Each structure stands twice: as C-alpha cells, then as structure tokens.
Amino acid sequence: MLTEARLARPSEVAVALNRFGLGARPEDEAPDDPKSWLVAQFESYDASPAVFSGARDSATLGDGYAEAMLEAKDAEGAAKMAARKAARQEAQALYRDEVDMRARAALKTSTPFIERLVHFWSNHFAISAEKPQVTLIAGAFEREAIRPHVLGRFEDMLLAAERHPAMLFYLDQVRSIGPNSRFANRAAKRNAKRKPGINENLAREIMELHTLGARSGYSQADVTEFALALTGFSTGRARGRGQAGAFTFRPGLHEPGQRTIMGKTYDQGGDKQALAVLGDLAAAEATATQIAAKLARHFIADEPPAAVVTRLAEAFRRSNGDLVAVYRALIDSPEAWQPAAAKFKTPWEWTISALRGLGRSDIGKPRLAQLLKQLGQPVWRPRSPAGYDDVAGSWAAPDALVRRVEAAQRLAAQSGDIDPRDLARKLFAGSLSDLTVAEIDRAESRRTGIALLLVSPDFQRR
C-alpha cells in the first residue's frame, strides 16, 4: 500500500504542479517552495521554444493559401476542384501538425504555469479553425498574438489578437466596409443596389467577450459606432497587394468622421481611431473585473470567490493592465491554495496532464487533433467566439467520462512497464485518496492500474 494513502487533500506542492501547472512529470523534482517556483517562471519562460522552430508565420502561410486560391480560380472544371481540394487538405495537415507542436511544447516546458496561461488566453481570445483561412493560421495566431504577450500588458495582447488575420477572418472583419468610405462610394456608382456595409462581429465580441463583458453598460449603438471605427482593419491580398496573412489597415474601407462610444467622442483619423477605442476598453474598470473573474474561475473554482475577483481586478487597475502583477496577486491569494481540488479538467488539460504523467515528450498515436476531437474539445475549434467553457458541467457528463476511460486505456497500453503505485506516488505529492490507492491495488495488471489512475477522481480534478 502507498504510504500516502491516508492523505486525501492536495498539498501546496500538488496544487502548484496540478492547479497552476499542467500536471507533474515523474522525472521532475518537487519544488521546495511552491510559490517561489511559480514566480520564478516569469523570468525563465521562453515565448519561442525550440519545438516551434520549423513553424511558418501567418504572413507566409496566408500568402501561400491566397496564391493557391487564385490559381484555382484561374483553372477550369476538374482542375479547379482538385486545386481547391489540395489547398484544403494541406491546411488540415498543417492544423494537425500545429496541434502536435502545441502539445509537445506543453509536454516539454519547464514553465508549466506560464504555458497554462498561454492556453487560458488563447481560449479568451477564441478563434475557430473551422473556417478554411483560419485552419491554416490558428497555430500561428497563438504563437504570434498570445505567447509573446502572456507576461506583458493586457492592452498589447488585445491589440495583437484583434489585428491578427486569424481573428479578422474568423469574425468577418475583412468584409466590413464603411458605408460612406471611398470604396463604398465607388461601389455605389457601379451598382447603387449593392452598396457595401459594416460587419459588427468583431466590435461586438471585443466588447462582450474580450474586454468589458456582457451587461456592462454599453448599448447596441455603441457596438455599431465601434464597428464603424474598426473599418479598415483588414489583411493584404496576394499578387503584390500586401500579404494575405498579415494585418493591413486599408484607408479606402474606413468610415470617415468622428465616433461616439459610451459617451466619449473619438475624432482621430484612420486606424488611430480604433486604436484609441481599444486602449480605453483595455483600461476600463469592467474589463479589469471580467479578466479577474475569468482568471479566478480558471484557477480556483467554477464560482470564483468575490474577494479574489476584487483583489485581482484591483491589481489589474493599479498596474495599468500589467498581467504579471495580476498573476502575482493570484499566487498570493490564500483561496488559490485551498486543499480541495475544485476544478474539473477539460479534455485538453486531462490529456496533457496524462501524457506528462506518463513521462511522454512525444505525441504518438492517435494524433492529438484526433484524440481531442473524440474527447469533445478539438483544439482551436470552439463552437462560438466565447471559447470553451471553464466549468465542470460542460465536461463531466457520463458519455464524456466514458470517452476518457477509453482514451486512458489506449494511453495505458502505450505506457510500457510502469508500476502504477510508484507513478502515483511521484505524481500526487502526498495527496492521493484512499479510494484511488485501493483501486490501483486491486488492478489485475499494471496497465489496468495506470488506466485507473488516469480516470480517478484525484487525477481528473486539479
């Protein structure tokens, strides 16, 4: 029997490794000072680890895709269909490779707390690879808009995310045209019945999801005015007209004139108008509260303690959106170190912690994109711009648990001759429940014991 069997509540070491981190690895040394271990990761985080060394940037990928689509357009009949199919297949293959690279970064990282924050912010600024143009650059979005800014200022991450081509394509901003812009006026002269107009998707999701939050005081009129200010935010085009995978401000699409949003007038010209609005939204008190609530929900409980939300929001405001200051306030919150494992792991969290727990640094089979789809959380493919839910009710349904059991059995079959008792002792840092110990002891084989460990209540919560 394991000597830790009498203990059923996570120690601070287990909290640091599993709640703040991505799960323990058998070869890792347990930190002597869990809080200092988390803080030290701010200095050692690598935004561009070697695993991404072969990845192409969004500008290169977007240009290649746009060129392929133009070539397909110029083709005829079966050749056109074949060219489009080939481009889609290439995008899907790249998507699978990007998912595997993301997973390898999570498996190999020496800064798992910061890597978890990358995943958190990527879900906050959710995109969906269901759209062909986004399929190609979903991984580039995370590398270019999230990873470099995860330890910076919220405003900088906001600007990077909203101007990234993946976001512009996903929320149809590339189709938004000021009704009185130069482009619209020329179009009206050609055909008065087909005058272009704005698309409000990006403006609405920035206000509702990325900054202020729903029911925070803005109106539909504010969304419309903001959408007008955002006109001109677009990408280049292939064949000498900018890079199709890079942000471009196109003045000819921008709606002229001043805008009034939430009682403030913005009379700046060109892209400076939208940038000024974004700066104010980033600094708003409602934004501080929403970000604080989401971080507290992710790290502490589905219903986050009000005192923690207030504390994190104050750190956000006091530091002018410096994210490290907010993370420090989270680490310093006693509520974050509560012994009860309140958070139920999402399929991504469970899969990564299982692979880390088994000492894996490679992906193996099935490909991660396929496995996460089977588990109900395909990477970068949420059903809405709100991203994936961060509460147990969305992930703990009986059919979802059955799929985890099947996945655990497959992973256990690839685990080699690992003693589940020894593994449990290394992974749980003195916090195993009697029930899990008893189940492992009764297992008919080591592989069965590994599978039982991976689907135990201890392992599925953090």
Side-chain angles (χ1 to χ4, degrees), residues 13 155 172 175 177 212 250 294 320 333 377 399 428 430:
V13 171
E155 181 179 351
D172 300 312
R175 300 180 181 179
I177 300 169
L212 304 173
R250 298 170 65 183
K294 291 190 74 170
N320 295 317
S333 295
Q377 192 185 17
D399 61 327
F428 284 92

Side-chain angles (χ1 to χ4, degrees), residues 183-450:
F183 180 93
N185 289 332
R186 288 197 301 268
K189 290 179 181 179
R190 292 193 296 269
N191 186 344
K193 294 181 180 180
R194 298 187 64 183
K195 188 174 183 180
I198 59 170
N199 186 296
E200 296 184 351
N201 289 352
L202 182 62
R204 180 176 294 106
E205 306 310 354
I206 289 174
M207 298 181 87
E208 179 178 336
L209 301 175
H210 302 166
T211 59
L212 304 173
R215 297 179 296 279
S216 57
Y218 65 88
S219 66
Q220 173 56 43
D222 293 320
V223 173
T224 301
E225 284 284 279
F226 186 25
L228 290 169
L230 285 166
T231 52
F233 273 38
S234 189
T235 66
R237 292 172 287 177
R239 295 184 181 174
R241 293 185 289 178
Q243 291 182 299
F247 173 79
T248 300
F249 180 74
R250 298 170 65 183
L253 306 183
H254 182 65
E255 178 71 5
Q258 65 183 27
R259 312 262 73 85
T260 300
I261 301 169
M262 300 183 72
K264 181 173 180 178
T265 298
Y266 297 86
D267 56 7
Q268 296 87 346
D271 63 337
K272 292 183 175 60
Q273 188 173 73
L275 294 177
V277 180
L278 286 166
D280 286 345
L281 292 175
E285 289 197 11
T287 298
T289 300
Q290 168 157 251
I291 298 304
K294 291 190 74 170
L295 280 166
R297 180 177 298 112
H298 182 78
F299 282 94
I300 299 177
D302 291 356
E303 294 294 331
V308 178
V309 175
T310 299
R311 199 176 302 135
L312 300 188
E314 177 57 29
F316 186 101
R317 286 190 289 265
R318 189 172 56 248
S319 67
N320 295 317
D322 177 69
L323 294 176
V324 170
V326 181
Y327 306 152
R328 286 181 180 273
L330 174 68
I331 293 170
D332 289 338
S333 295
E335 298 89 340
W337 299 88
Q338 61 182 326
K343 292 297 296 184
F344 189 81
K345 293 178 181 177
T346 67
W348 168 262
E349 293 169 345
W350 178 82
T351 301
I352 293 302
S353 61
L355 291 170
R356 284 173 64 88
L358 294 173
R360 295 272 290 272
S361 59
D362 63 334
I363 307 305
K365 294 185 177 182
R367 297 286 293 273
L368 252 290
Q370 178 185 346
L371 178 58
L372 268 295
K373 182 178 180 180
Q374 293 169 355
L375 292 175
Q377 192 185 17
V379 179
W380 303 312
R381 283 185 169 168
R383 294 181 179 179
S384 83
Y388 286 112
D389 287 345
D390 204 1
V391 295
S394 298
W395 306 112
D399 61 327
L401 296 179
V402 169
R403 290 196 292 272
R404 289 196 190 191
V405 170
E406 295 169 349
Q409 291 171 337
R410 292 201 297 272
L411 293 174
Q414 302 168 11
S415 65
D417 191 30
I418 299 176
D419 187 331
R421 296 174 177 83
D422 289 342
L423 183 62
R425 184 183 298 111
K426 294 174 182 176
L427 298 186
F428 284 92
S431 61
L432 269 179
S433 67
D434 293 336
L435 176 62
T436 297
V437 172
E439 289 293 326
I440 293 174
D441 279 343
R442 286 197 295 265
E444 60 187 22
S445 67
R446 288 190 170 189
R447 288 185 178 180
T448 300
I450 293 292

Side-chain angles (χ1 to χ4, degrees), residues 152-202:
R153 296 173 63 248
F154 174 74
E155 181 179 351
D156 294 333
M157 188 189 295
L158 176 69
L159 294 178
E162 311 306 355
R163 293 189 291 181
H164 196 278
M167 188 70 74
L168 299 175
F169 279 119
Y170 174 48
L171 294 178
D172 300 312
Q173 179 62 25
V174 293
R175 300 180 181 179
S176 189
I177 300 169
N180 298 297
S181 65
R182 295 199 306 270
F183 180 93
N185 289 332
R186 288 197 301 268
K189 290 179 181 179
R190 292 193 296 269
N191 186 344
K193 294 181 180 180
R194 298 187 64 183
K195 188 174 183 180
I198 59 170
N199 186 296
E200 296 184 351
N201 289 352
L202 182 62

Side-chain angles (χ1 to χ4, degrees), residues 45-63:
Y45 167 69
D46 181 1
S48 300
V51 69
F52 296 122
S53 60
R56 289 172 284 173
D57 61 27
S58 60
T60 302
L61 292 168
D63 266 356

